[in-house]
Amino acid sequence: MKTNLLQGLPKLPPAPRLSKLTHLARISRLWERMADDSICILVSNPERTRSNDTHFPYRQSSELFYFNGFPEPESVLIVSKLKGKQELIMLVRPKNAEREVWDGIRCGVRGAKKDYFASRAYDVSEFGDVISGLVADSKVVYYGYGVNPSFDEKFRQIFEAEPQTLMNPQGIIDGLRLIKSDEEMSVHRHACVIAAEAHKAAMLACRPGVHE
């Protein structure tokens, strides 16, 4: 006999969502902590193949998602502090009507600028040209290896040709994520309520002979 753990769960209010102001504040705090004449490059997680041409549900890299919530693979977010100017640059997959039938709607270059705060956006195929130009103009480059091997190799080739001071942005980002705003705390509280109610439902369903 199967047990429906959802029976008896209270109806919860809709999950709170982070505002655009929260994301913009996060970008500004990162920019403030970056060295002068520097860029910070954050890359997306790779897609994971389940079997043949079937993929696991995609999960964006936590660092990229933290700053502007962009959900798509094959994407790069760059925070620039060149010449004292704050700028957000993105590299994203191009719109493709045929692939969108199978994989879902893509934001595209225009959507990155319209919905995700990018002052400039490019096709991800332009990674080499865009990153090379920015690295050449920088004194410090923030990049963390190990998130996406494909991007790591492309960046390594560019950086070896234009070596600058290389720093891992993780220390700055971890420090930013330690302090939560009231809006962020409301999201955490909502998640805690869901977890607590699920545990109570599981305990009510437990009895001798019932397996996990």
Side-chain angles (χ1 to χ4, degrees), residues 152-195:
D152 286 353
E153 180 58 24
K154 294 174 185 177
F155 175 77
R156 183 188 61 78
Q157 294 177 15
I158 293 167
F159 193 78
E160 287 180 353
E162 291 280 355
Q164 311 290 351
T165 300
L166 181 64
M167 300 183 70
N168 192 328
Q170 201 63 53
I172 296 176
I173 296 172
D174 288 347
L176 294 176
R177 296 181 70 177
L178 280 175
I179 302 172
K180 308 296 184 186
S181 66
D182 290 342
E183 193 173 72
E184 290 171 309
M185 289 302 297
S186 69
V187 175
H188 282 283
R189 292 189 184 98
H190 187 81
C192 289
V193 170
I194 293 172

Side-chain angles (χ1 to χ4, degrees), residues 23-166:
H23 283 117
L24 288 171
R26 290 172 173 178
I27 295 166
S28 292
R29 287 197 294 269
L30 171 63
W31 184 85
E32 290 168 357
R33 288 161 176 77
M34 289 165 55
D36 292 337
D37 292 319
S38 67
I39 58 170
C40 178
I41 304 168
L42 303 173
V43 301
S44 60
N45 278 336
E47 295 182 280
R48 307 291 185 184
T49 301
R50 184 166 184 165
S51 64
N52 298 324
D53 61 348
T54 303
H55 291 88
F56 285 103
Y58 183 70
R59 183 187 186 282
Q60 183 60 278
S61 68
S62 296
E63 289 72 24
L64 196 158
F65 195 78
Y66 177 77
F67 286 104
N68 73 343
F70 191 74
E72 296 179 21
E74 297 182 71
S75 55
V76 182
L77 184 151
I78 306 152
V79 178
S80 170
K81 196 176 182 178
L82 300 178
K83 299 179 181 179
K85 178 184 177 182
Q86 178 178 314
E87 188 176 18
L88 187 73
I89 304 163
M90 291 196 69
L91 297 161
V92 301
R93 299 180 303 179
K95 297 288 288 180
N96 184 316
E98 181 179 354
R99 289 311 314 168
E100 288 177 49
V101 170
W102 300 98
D103 304 332
I105 300 299
R106 295 183 180 186
C107 176
V109 168
R110 182 179 298 178
K113 292 188 283 188
K114 177 178 178 290
D115 298 320
Y116 294 96
F117 324 121
S119 52
R120 287 191 279 153
Y122 303 90
D123 187 320
V124 71
S125 65
E126 298 182 63
F127 180 94
D129 291 337
V130 174
I131 298 299
S132 293
L134 292 170
V135 169
D137 291 337
S138 304
K139 294 180 180 177
V140 177
V141 177
Y142 296 88
Y143 185 91
Y145 283 98
V147 175
N148 189 318
S150 176
F151 283 125
D152 286 353
E153 180 58 24
K154 294 174 185 177
F155 175 77
R156 183 188 61 78
Q157 294 177 15
I158 293 167
F159 193 78
E160 287 180 353
E162 291 280 355
Q164 311 290 351
T165 300
L166 181 64

